Amino acid sequence: MTSNGQTSEAEPAGKAGLAAPGRGRVTLQIIADHLSVSTATVSLALRGSPLVADATRLRVQQIAREMGYSYNRSAASLRTDRTNILGVGFHDITNPYFAELLAAIEETATAHGRSILLGTYAENLERQDRVLNTLKEYRPDGMVICAAGGSTAETFGHLIAAGVPLVQLSREIPGLDLDFVGSDDHHGTVLALEHLIGLGHRRIAFLGENELISTGRNRYRGYCETLARHGIPLDPALVYASIGTRENGLKGIQKVLDAEIPPTAAVCFNDLIAFGAMLGLRHRGLEAGVDFSLVGCDDVQEAAQWYPALTTLKNFQDEMGRKSAELLIRRIEDPTAATQRIVLTPELIVRGTTTPPKR
C-alpha cells in the first residue's frame, strides 16, 4: 500500500492475484486472455453448455466470479432486439391475491429464461400512466397488466402504438382486442348466492360493489341476477360500494347492519373485505359462522388460517398467473396470432363462516 492509500503495481489486487477492474469493465475477452482460451469457449462455459469440458467450464465460471464479471444484458438486447424482460403492471401488491399472482408470473418467467420488472400504481390513473411509461422505457418484450379502476381502451393506446405485446390479467377493459386471463366472476358470485340462499338466507348484503372494474361489475351482476331469479328484492341499503380493503369491509358490514331490516349474510367482493367484515361483526358482538354468514372471494392463503376459516371462492390465481405469463411469451413469439381469452371457473370452498340464519 502506498502512502496515498493506493495499491501499488507490485501488490496483487483482488482474490488469487486477479486484477480488479471497475464495475462493468470485465469482458469475455479479458477472461479468455487470462485463461488462454477462446471467447467462444468462455461464452459457452458461462451459459453452462455441455460442449465445454466440465473442468474448463467450472474454471471459467470461477474466474468470472472472482473477476466480478457481469452479463451485459443491454448489449445483448441490442444484438437480439430482445431484453428477456416481462413488464408487470399491478394496481395493488399489498393484497395477497395479487402477490400470489405475481409469484406465479415470476416463477413461470424464470422457467422460460425471463426476468420481470414490476410497477404498481394503486387505483390512480395518472400514476398508472407514469408507471407504464417508465416500464416501457426499459424496453420489456411485453407486459402483463391489471388495470387501475376507470381505465379505458385509450389508457393503453400508447403501449399498443409502440407495439408492446400486452396481456390483461384479472381485469378486462372493454373495447380492447387483447389477450386476457381471468376468472368467471359472474359465475363465482352465483355460486356464493346459491349457497347462502340454500342455507335459508333471504337478506343478503353485497360488500364492495365497484362499477369501475370488470371484476366488480361482473360480481355485482351475478348478485343482482341471482336475487331476481329467486324472487328476492334488491335492497340498496344492503349494498356497500367501495374498493376491496379490510378497512372497507369493517365499515361496510357495520353500515349494512344498521339497515332497517339488517341482513343475515353477505357476499364480499374479495377476501380482504371479508376479513374486515369479520372484525366488524366482532365490534357488534357477533361472530361469522354463528350469528352471521360471510362468503369471500379469491381464497388467498390467509383465508384458511382465520378463525373461523373463511368460506370463499377459489379463483386459482396460481394458474391465472402462470397462464398469463405463458400467453404473453407466446404473444411475443407470434405477434400476429389471434387473441385469446382464458377464463377459469371458480370453485366454492365451504369452511366455517356460513351457517343457516338464526330463527
Side-chain angles (χ1 to χ4, degrees), residues 2 4 49 57-58 76 91 120 129 141 158 188 212 229 271 291 312 314 334 343 345:
T2 61
N4 62 6
S49 171
R57 184 170 67 251
L58 293 173
H91 72 285
T120 62
D129 193 54
D141 296 331
H158 64 103
L212 293 177
R229 188 166 58 252
D271 287 346
D291 308 294
T312 187
K314 186 178 185 65
D334 185 5
V343 180
T345 302

Side-chain angles (χ1 to χ4, degrees), residues 28 53 113 115 130 156 159 166-168 180 200 228 242 251 262-263 326 335 346 353:
L28 296 181
S115 301
R130 290 196 304 271
F156 303 107
L159 296 176
L166 300 174
V167 171
Q168 300 180 92
F180 169 73
S242 70
K251 292 178 179 177
E326 291 174 345
T353 58

Side-chain angles (χ1 to χ4, degrees), residues 58 67 83 95 97 102 172 174 187 211 227 293 300 343:
L58 293 173
M67 298 181 86
T83 61
N95 184 338
Y97 169 76
L102 180 62
E172 190 171 19
H187 178 68
E211 288 293 317
L227 289 180
S293 287
V300 299
V343 180

Side-chain angles (χ1 to χ4, degrees), residues 151-171:
S151 295
T152 64
E154 290 72 25
T155 303
F156 303 107
H158 64 103
L159 296 176
I160 296 170
V164 179
L166 300 174
V167 171
Q168 300 180 92
L169 177 59
S170 188
R171 298 179 176 184

Side-chain angles (χ1 to χ4, degrees), residues 69-110:
Y69 172 77
S70 178
Y71 177 66
N72 192 334
R73 190 176 297 275
S74 297
S77 68
L78 291 175
R79 292 192 300 270
T80 64
D81 199 31
R82 292 282 175 85
T83 61
N84 286 327
I85 292 174
L86 304 182
V88 179
F90 276 4
H91 72 285
D92 185 9
I93 201 61
T94 62
N95 184 338
Y97 169 76
F98 292 100
E100 291 171 16
L101 284 174
L102 180 62
I105 292 171
E106 183 171 27
E107 182 178 353
T108 306
T110 300

